[in-house]
Amino acid sequence: MMDRTMRSPLLIDTHCHLADRAFAGRLPAVIRAGRMAGVMKFIVPAIEPEEWQRLQVLHKSHSEIFPAYGLHPMHARLFSRNILEELESCARSAIAIGEIGLDYTLAVSREIQMYSFRQQLRLARKLDLPVLLHCRNAFQDLITILQDEGEGLIRGVMHAFSGSMETAVKCMGIGLYISMAGTVTFANAVRPVAVARKMPLSHLLLETDAPDLSPEPYRGTRNEPAFLMATATKIAEIKGLTLGEVAAQTSRNAVELFRLPALLI
């Protein structure tokens, strides 16, 4: 009997927090389930120093995991010269810097967030790595900083994009990809659906953001990469394309941005 992964469109989960303690003790099963659902590669961000260490261990034992290291804005107060040096050491075996960015819903000063963000963007340029970008209520400042730090020289993706199509166009204009998560499947989704409909497939990536943002019909449960197919299916429906077309192009986009080994797609 042919394996399910051979019959399914092949996907790349470009943002899943598999080093999160929510997956402790069951990661092999989560990866197997993802592969059975057609998800063949897992880009895993670690967002603070303790998690960096866990991800380094996981990366050594799971060839499907491609690590990214960064200091999330919620942890920006931890930023120091020593932390930056530790991050650089970790990032030398990574495929991206992230998850980094700005989040003005947090009780962390904007000045601290922006300083941490700028320093990590400079590290990404130094190491020639793309960035996984988190942004909440801060798109104008984030885009300005990206332009200041070198428009056209910083590659990356707006993860779990929540902005308008106008903002998406600005992001694509400075060389960023746009990643869609399970929110596009929600019954009350309006803006994500509008963005998915207009978004050129050439700039689109897919992610779960596991263990958060579970798509329909899995809302209320812990998200995992196996659920990525629900998001891909919804986007294909919105755009009037086949699932295979969406899977093939988004996977090619991920391979190009993150310089991954190509999938057989």
Side-chain angles (χ1 to χ4, degrees):
M1 181 180 295
M2 186 180 294
D3 189 283
R4 284 181 61 190
T5 58
M6 297 300 293
R7 299 198 308 264
S8 301
L10 303 184
L11 298 169
I12 297 174
D13 190 342
T14 63
H15 199 109
C16 51
H17 293 273
L18 298 186
D20 190 287
R21 293 193 183 279
F23 295 110
R26 55 186 303 271
L27 185 58
V30 168
I31 290 176
R32 283 196 301 272
R35 290 179 65 86
M36 289 297 292
V39 183
M40 309 309 290
K41 299 182 188 300
F42 310 81
I43 295 176
V44 179
I47 62 172
E48 47 84 19
E50 183 179 337
E51 195 172 64
W52 299 346
Q53 303 307 316
R54 293 202 300 273
L55 180 54
Q56 287 182 311
V57 172
L58 294 179
H59 174 49
K60 291 177 181 178
S61 55
H62 296 280
S63 62
E64 308 94 335
I65 286 179
F66 293 83
Y69 301 94
L71 197 65
H72 190 284
M74 75 172 70
H75 300 295
R77 290 192 190 97
L78 297 177
F79 188 86
S80 67
R81 180 56 53 186
N82 288 340
I83 288 290
L84 185 62
E85 290 174 357
E86 183 180 353
L87 175 58
E88 179 171 352
S89 177
C90 292
R92 290 190 179 278
S93 62
I95 54 92
I97 298 292
E99 159 186 3
I100 64 174
L102 302 174
D103 189 329
Y104 291 169
T105 70
L106 298 171
V108 180
S109 79
R110 296 183 181 189
E111 291 75 16
I112 288 174
Q113 289 190 46
M114 287 190 283
Y115 181 74
S116 172
F117 182 42
R118 284 184 182 274
Q119 296 302 313
Q120 292 180 90
L121 288 175
R122 292 169 188 174
L123 177 61
R125 284 187 57 184
K126 176 181 178 180
L127 300 180
D128 191 24
L129 290 173
V131 287
L132 307 178
L133 297 169
H134 172 103
C135 188
R136 199 173 286 172
N137 292 2
F139 282 110
Q140 182 173 340
D141 283 352
L142 183 133
I143 290 171
T144 297
I145 289 173
L146 287 168
Q147 292 171 331
D148 287 348
E149 294 299 330
E151 183 175 355
L153 298 176
I154 294 174
R155 299 174 292 120
V157 53
M158 295 297 303
H159 123 79
F161 185 71
S162 61
S164 66
M165 190 62 210
E166 180 182 6
T167 299
V169 168
K170 291 179 181 179
C171 292
M172 289 186 288
I174 58 174
L176 302 177
Y177 287 81
I178 303 296
S179 182
M180 305 295 290
T183 49
V184 74
T185 71
F186 294 176
N188 62 347
V190 176
R191 179 181 280 182
V193 171
V195 170
R197 182 173 292 115
K198 296 179 181 179
M199 176 65 53
L201 200 57
S202 60
H203 283 73
L204 187 64
L205 298 177
L206 301 178
E207 67 170 274
T208 58
D209 199 24
D212 300 321
L213 300 184
S214 296
E216 299 287 0
Y218 307 103
R219 291 189 72 179
T221 67
R222 178 174 49 207
N223 200 8
E224 58 181 75
F227 302 161
L228 185 61
M229 192 62 73
T231 300
T233 300
K234 181 64 176 181
I235 288 176
E237 174 190 320
I238 292 167
K239 297 185 76 64
L241 300 172
T242 68
L243 176 59
E245 287 171 327
V246 170
Q249 187 60 56
T250 57
S251 292
R252 289 190 190 102
N253 294 343
V255 166
E256 178 179 345
L257 174 62
F258 298 110
R259 298 170 178 165
L260 300 173
L263 295 177
L264 298 177
I265 53 179

